Every structure is written in C-alpha cells, then in structure tokens.
Amino acid sequence: MEKTLAILKPDAVERNLIGKILERIEGKGFKVAAMKMAQLSQCEAKGFYDVHKERPFFGDLTSYMSSGPVVLLVLSRDNAIKEWRDLMGATNPADAAEGTIRKDFAVNIEKNSTHGSDAPDTAAFEISYFFSQTEIVG
Ligand code: IDP
Ligand code: MG
C-alpha cells in the first residue's frame, strides 16, 4: 500500500467540510493511517511549501495556510498519490473535472480546500514533516 499526505485546508475546515471530504476519501477506498488537527505557524507553512519559495504567491499561500486550523492526514491505498490527486482535481477549481473535490468545494486557485503530495519523494518528506512513525498505523 502506498501512502500520501493530505491536508484539509483552512477554507474547508472553516466551512465545516471535514465530514463531507472524509466521506469521499473513505468512499474511494483510502484508509486513514493518521489524522490530526493543527494550526500551522507561518514558519511551519513556509517549511512545508519550501519548493514554492520563489513563486509570487508564496507569501499569500503561507499566510493563508496558517490562517486557521487544518486537518492533516496520511492516506493509504494502492496508487494513493495519484488516486488522491485525481480525487482532488486540478489546482484551479475553474479547471477541475466534474465530481472532484476542488470542483465541488474550492473557493479559488489559492483556497482550494485540499492538498495532496505529488510524487513518492515529496510524499515521504511531507508525511515526515507532520507525523512521527509511531503516529502512523498500518
Ligand atoms: P497543488 O496543490 O495542486 O499541488 P501547487 O502548484 O503545488 O498545486 O501549489 C500549491 C498551492 O499553492 C495550491 O494548492 C494553491 O493553494 C496555491 N497556488 C498555486 N498556484 C497559485 C496561484 O497561481 N495563485 C495563488 N495560489 C496558488
Ligand atoms: Mg503541489
């Protein structure tokens, strides 16, 4: 089973969408291997999104990601990284396919409700950024 990191971002938590999004995750056959609430500091958000530090939206993104509570999840299933990205949909909800989480719930390209790792190396980094080995089951 492959593992990936998912985040239910501040816009999703603020609008009481935790249950609806978790229902879609479980409905697609993912197992929740770890889960916790957190409120990131801007410093923690910057460390997490370090790959984007040269992008023009980096300051806004890290302010937004630290603006309210998030749900941090480790998801497990076969092909979890790609399956979770497919279920989330495109970064910009205007481009996201019908039936995806971002199409149905995202506010805009920044407040797009969920995060997902994009490759095995980033999944490993992102999972270890938020979870110790003993917090992950299965
Ligand atoms: P991803 O979340 O689909 O992997 P990335 O390109 O890795 O997309 O960008 C990380 C996050 O940065 C996005 O999910 C979104 O919140 C934000 N973001 C990406 N592109 C833009 C943009 O053009 N303007 C504002 N925010 C953006
Ligand atoms: Mg990304």
Side-chain angles (χ1 to χ4, degrees):
M1 289 295 147
E2 187 175 68
K3 288 185 172 65
T4 191
L5 185 89
I7 305 178
L8 311 189
K9 294 183 176 183
D11 72 273
V13 174
E14 203 264 326
R15 291 178 293 143
N16 281 1
L17 294 171
I18 296 173
K20 284 200 172 72
I21 295 173
L22 284 177
E23 190 171 16
R24 292 192 186 201
I25 288 170
E26 291 191 308
K28 274 281 180 181
F30 292 92
K31 288 288 178 195
V32 175
M35 176 163 70
K36 61 187 172 190
M37 303 289 304
Q39 172 135 14
L40 307 183
S41 67
Q42 190 157 12
C43 185
E44 287 167 336
K46 283 180 172 168
F48 181 74
Y49 279 118
D50 190 61
V51 292
H52 291 315
K53 63 173 178 284
E54 307 300 339
R55 308 285 286 275
F57 57 79
F58 183 68
D60 278 353
L61 172 63
T62 54
S63 295
Y64 158 61
M65 287 299 290
S66 56
S67 67
V70 296
V71 180
L72 304 169
L73 293 151
V74 178
L75 303 180
S76 177
R77 63 159 281 175
D78 63 297
N79 210 14
I81 295 169
K82 181 177 187 303
E83 291 289 340
W84 172 231
R85 289 201 62 97
D86 288 351
L87 182 58
M88 287 199 301
T91 307
N92 187 346
D95 302 328
E98 292 296 328
T100 61
I101 289 169
R102 283 166 164 174
K103 173 75 176 183
D104 291 344
F105 299 128
V107 177
N108 57 38
I109 192 172
E110 178 188 75
K111 297 178 176 57
N112 58 3
S113 302
T114 52
H115 168 85
S117 310
D118 61 7
D121 58 334
T122 52
F125 164 74
E126 291 176 0
I127 290 169
S128 68
Y129 193 78
F130 289 122
F131 292 96
S132 64
Q133 234 179 316
T134 52
E135 292 178 301
I136 302 168
V137 302

